[in-house]
Amino acid sequence: MPPSPDDVLSRHPAPLVARLRAAGCVFAEEEAAELVAAASGPAHLAAMVDRRVTGEPLETVLGWARFCGLRVAVGPGVFVPRQRTALLVEQAVALLRSAPGTPVVVDLCCGSGAVGLAVAAALGPVELHAADVDPVAVRCARRNLEPAGGRVHQGDLYAALPAALRGRVDLLAVNAPYVPSAAVALMPPEARDAEPRAALDGGPDGTDLQRRVAADARSWLAPGGTLLVETSARQAPLTATAVRAGGLRAAVVRDEERDATVVLGTDPRSSVSGSSRSAVTHSVTDRNG
């Protein structure tokens, strides 16, 4: 009987960890443990290590990423959810926690669908839709969201969404690419080389997609609904300007510890639950500066 992955690591931990560290893996011990746990045998373990040391993200090697306490399926060619994006999820949950009825949530530029999945897991019943232009991302998002009752659509931004959603969306969550084009080359190799450039490159100032999203958001939001856009601290003023240009009230939420920034755009039209959503938005904004 061939040795188990645990036996491989227990007998020869140093070479495995040393190989990962030599390849630039900062948390080599932790990665080694994850790879061993996921391997079905020594040959599988060796193949996964080979993929990792050539620069493939650990998450796509494993087939999943940890995000907001969930295991989110990912694969080669799919944007790997970042831990900073948990701030966007937390804002979404806070805004909708006391909403009456079943809220309508759209995860736009969804990638793996991690944001929509985490929001639905935290809130309970939601009408969840997600969309992405990339067919590889759409296939991955369907793996994550369809078992949870979500619907995933393929197309360019709002063109992907069913027309029946127009004017009904309580929360529009968007993690569109926002890295300025010239800065993509400065990203870690496992991002710039392994993830699709279209999921990273936000145009000359990083806000090309954000401006397009903000320009049409109000027509898709329900009265009092909210647009949430992940951005960077440097680009937040540009993102907020785009949100205001779309006719929404803008506020910036910043978490220094996670280096996470979200711009909230609130529809100014009144709704039954609009006052409670606005109150949550302002209290969170004040707390985070």
Side-chain angles (χ1 to χ4, degrees):
M1 177 180 295
S4 70
D6 287 335
D7 290 336
V8 173
L9 187 60
S10 63
R11 294 176 188 176
H12 308 288
L16 176 56
V17 172
R19 189 178 178 204
L20 291 169
R21 185 173 289 116
C25 302
V26 177
F27 303 103
E29 291 85 354
E30 292 85 345
E31 291 199 13
E34 294 276 21
L35 291 165
V36 166
S40 59
H44 186 206
L45 175 61
M48 288 195 298
V49 173
D50 286 345
R51 290 169 61 189
R52 180 63 182 124
V53 299
T54 60
E56 185 174 342
L58 175 67
E59 293 83 358
T60 61
V61 173
L62 296 173
W64 57 270
R66 285 193 180 89
F67 182 70
C68 294
L70 304 171
R71 282 195 176 192
V72 178
V74 295
V78 176
F79 180 81
V80 175
R82 304 327 195 224
Q83 296 310 308
R84 69 171 68 91
T85 306
L87 178 64
L88 190 153
V89 172
E90 292 161 6
Q91 294 299 300
V93 172
L95 288 162
L96 294 178
R97 180 73 76 186
S98 60
T102 301
V104 178
V105 175
V106 171
D107 181 358
L108 201 61
C109 303
C110 68
S112 65
V115 169
L117 182 66
V119 171
L123 287 175
V126 299
E127 181 182 339
L128 176 61
H129 295 262
D132 202 288
V133 72
D134 183 358
V136 177
V138 167
R139 287 194 295 271
C140 184
R142 284 176 175 154
R143 289 175 58 197
N144 286 311
L145 298 183
E146 287 183 348
R151 294 177 58 194
V152 183
H153 315 279
Q154 183 179 338
D156 182 29
L157 299 182
Y158 300 108
L161 300 178
L165 284 177
R166 190 179 290 273
R168 294 186 52 236
V169 178
D170 295 299
L171 187 122
L172 181 59
V174 184
N175 188 12
Y178 58 87
V179 179
S181 300
V184 173
L186 305 178
M187 297 182 71
E190 63 183 30
R192 70 170 187 260
D193 296 336
E195 294 179 320
R197 187 177 179 102
L200 306 172
D201 190 340
D205 66 0
T207 64
D208 279 4
L209 269 291
Q210 293 179 348
R211 288 196 298 271
R212 290 181 58 203
V213 167
D216 292 330
R218 189 173 177 183
S219 67
W220 290 88
L221 291 174
T226 303
L227 167 68
L228 294 179
V229 184
E230 179 173 312
T231 190
S232 69
R234 176 174 293 182
Q235 292 155 295
L238 296 175
T239 307
T241 296
V243 167
R244 293 187 188 99
L248 303 176
R249 292 193 295 260
V252 178
V253 179
R254 174 73 181 159
D255 184 325
E256 294 290 347
E257 183 175 349
R258 290 180 287 192
D259 188 25
T261 308
V262 173
V263 171
L264 297 86
T266 305
D267 184 81
R269 296 169 296 176
S270 62
S271 71
V272 173
S273 57
S275 60
S276 63
R277 282 202 294 263
S278 296
V280 173
T281 300
H282 290 310
S283 65
V284 173
T285 302
D286 291 344
R287 188 163 59 248
N288 288 276

